[in-house]
Amino acid sequence: MFELTRRNNNRHVNTYNPFREMEEFERNFFTNPFGGFFDSQDLAEFKTDVTDEGDHYLLEADLPGFDKKDINLDISGDTLTVNAERHSRVEEKNEKNKIVRMERSYGSYSRQFDVSGVDTDHIKAKYDNGVLKLTLPKKDEKLPESKKLEIE
């Protein structure tokens, strides 16, 4: 079982350059002064751990501050999609405009996982204290039958 999101894992070995961090800071500051703060991609992921427990996988996803009703789990083919949506308090009519500062992010968060090796009919989900836990039982592997072949 693995995540379907593609990641860039380019790792280059460079010689030591004491000015590299300053040059990178300057380049990033002038090309993206807000550091991706307003980039929706920064809001699109939440942290997950997947462990192999022998007869099943255990997927734990950190989703603090979500209501259980705002978390959706969908399976389409061999893809499990975990989607969570956090609604903004600004969406509600605020007659007295009490908000002084708002730093918490709101929006839709989604991750997809390959479940081709999982018995999707017996997945169990639990949400407690901001952590979504999915028990994903493995499919029974059917070993090919052995048979004798005739030589022509």
Side-chain angles (χ1 to χ4, degrees):
M1 186 174 121
F2 61 93
E3 183 178 5
L4 294 177
T5 306
R6 185 181 175 128
R7 301 210 184 271
N8 185 4
N9 289 329
N10 292 334
R11 294 183 182 168
H12 300 285
V13 177
N14 294 324
T15 58
Y16 176 70
N17 179 354
F19 301 104
R20 181 182 305 131
E21 289 180 22
M22 186 55 112
E23 290 169 354
E24 187 175 323
F25 172 77
E26 182 179 12
R27 184 175 44 255
N28 290 338
F29 180 77
F30 289 109
T31 59
N32 190 5
F34 296 106
F37 182 74
F38 297 109
D39 186 9
S40 63
Q41 181 63 25
D42 291 343
L43 302 177
E45 292 187 356
F46 45 87
K47 304 298 181 194
T48 61
D49 294 331
V50 179
T51 55
D52 187 341
E53 301 293 327
D55 62 338
H56 69 277
Y57 297 104
L58 177 63
L59 185 146
E60 295 176 296
D62 287 341
L63 294 168
F66 286 93
D67 290 330
K68 186 166 51 170
K69 64 179 175 46
D70 293 331
I71 300 171
N72 295 310
L73 305 172
D74 297 309
I75 297 174
S76 178
D78 287 339
T79 303
L80 166 69
T81 302
V82 179
N83 191 12
E85 188 171 349
R86 184 175 298 150
H87 302 283
S88 172
R89 289 179 43 193
V90 175
E91 292 174 2
E92 302 169 4
K93 297 294 180 189
N94 191 351
E95 297 172 10
K96 296 182 181 179
N97 199 14
K98 295 180 183 179
I99 298 174
V100 175
R101 181 179 180 121
M102 182 177 280
E103 292 182 347
R104 296 186 300 164
S105 56
Y106 297 93
S108 182
Y109 304 78
S110 184
R111 296 278 295 266
Q112 291 184 323
F113 299 90
D114 175 19
V115 290
S116 57
V118 173
D119 181 3
T120 56
D121 293 331
H122 296 96
I123 293 176
K124 293 183 182 173
K126 182 180 179 182
Y127 182 67
D128 189 33
N129 291 329
V131 179
L132 175 67
K133 292 183 181 183
L134 298 176
T135 303
L136 307 159
K138 293 180 181 180
K139 283 184 180 176
D140 291 331
E141 293 183 28
K142 294 181 181 175
L143 297 175
E145 297 178 15
S146 65
K147 58 183 177 180
K148 188 168 183 120
L149 298 174
E150 295 295 324
I151 301 173
E152 294 181 16

